[in-house]
């Protein structure tokens, strides 16, 4: 059985969140809530990498684990984490949790409160 497209799976996780929508920016899929980006998918160079906001503690903890996590150029210094979804070590439950955490950091408090 063929493996599902990881970007498609990531998209489905992002778009389940309240008021989340997709918008192409910089030739990449960005996932937003009220015009603010909470996640991005990069489909260039073979595709399969994504980035999302994390608090500084979580960012450092994830980076210390190594693959599939990486420090993304441009946004890593602003507290974002990169994930290579093509890695065999990807845990989709963890990806969903990280997306929700990113959403909580970006979304208005009234929207993100509904996730608890």
């Amino acid at each position: 059985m063929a493996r599902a497209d990881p970007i498609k799976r990531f998209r489905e996780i992002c778009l389940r969140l309240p008021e989340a929508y997709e918008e192409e920016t910089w030739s990449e899929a960005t996932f937003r809530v009220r015009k603010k980006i909470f996640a991005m998918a990069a489909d260039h160079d073979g595709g399969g990498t994504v980035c999302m906001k994390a608090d500084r503690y979580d960012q450092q903890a994830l980076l210390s684990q190594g693959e599939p996590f990486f420090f993304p150029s441009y946004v890593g210094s602003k507290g974002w984490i990169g994930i290579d979804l093509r890695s065999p070590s990807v845990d989709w439950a963890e990806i969903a949790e990280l997306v929700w955490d990113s959403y909580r950091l970006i979304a208005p408090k009234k929207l993100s409160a509904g996730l608890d």
Side-chain angles (χ1 to χ4, degrees), residues 31 38 50-51 56 64 77 81 97 108 112:
F31 301 93
F38 67 90
V50 296
C51 298
R56 293 288 181 180
S64 72
S77 63
I81 189 73
E97 185 178 320
S112 62

Side-chain angles (χ1 to χ4, degrees), residues 26-42:
W26 310 296
S27 299
E28 305 293 351
T30 63
F31 301 93
R32 300 168 181 254
V33 58
R34 298 199 181 162
K35 299 184 181 181
K36 295 182 179 180
I37 299 171
F38 67 90
M40 299 182 284

Side-chain angles (χ1 to χ4, degrees), residues 59-113:
Q59 181 194 40
Q60 291 306 311
L62 293 166
L63 289 173
S64 72
Q65 291 179 32
E67 187 183 328
F69 304 105
F70 65 92
F71 189 84
S73 54
Y74 306 111
V75 294
S77 63
K78 294 176 176 34
W80 286 61
I81 189 73
I83 306 169
D84 186 343
L85 298 179
R86 299 165 296 185
S87 170
S89 62
V90 166
D91 174 345
W92 282 99
E94 181 178 34
I95 299 300
E97 185 178 320
L98 292 170
V99 168
W100 296 336
D101 289 347
S102 179
Y103 179 90
R104 284 184 187 102
L105 290 168
I106 301 297
K109 298 300 176 212
K110 286 183 181 182
L111 281 180
S112 62

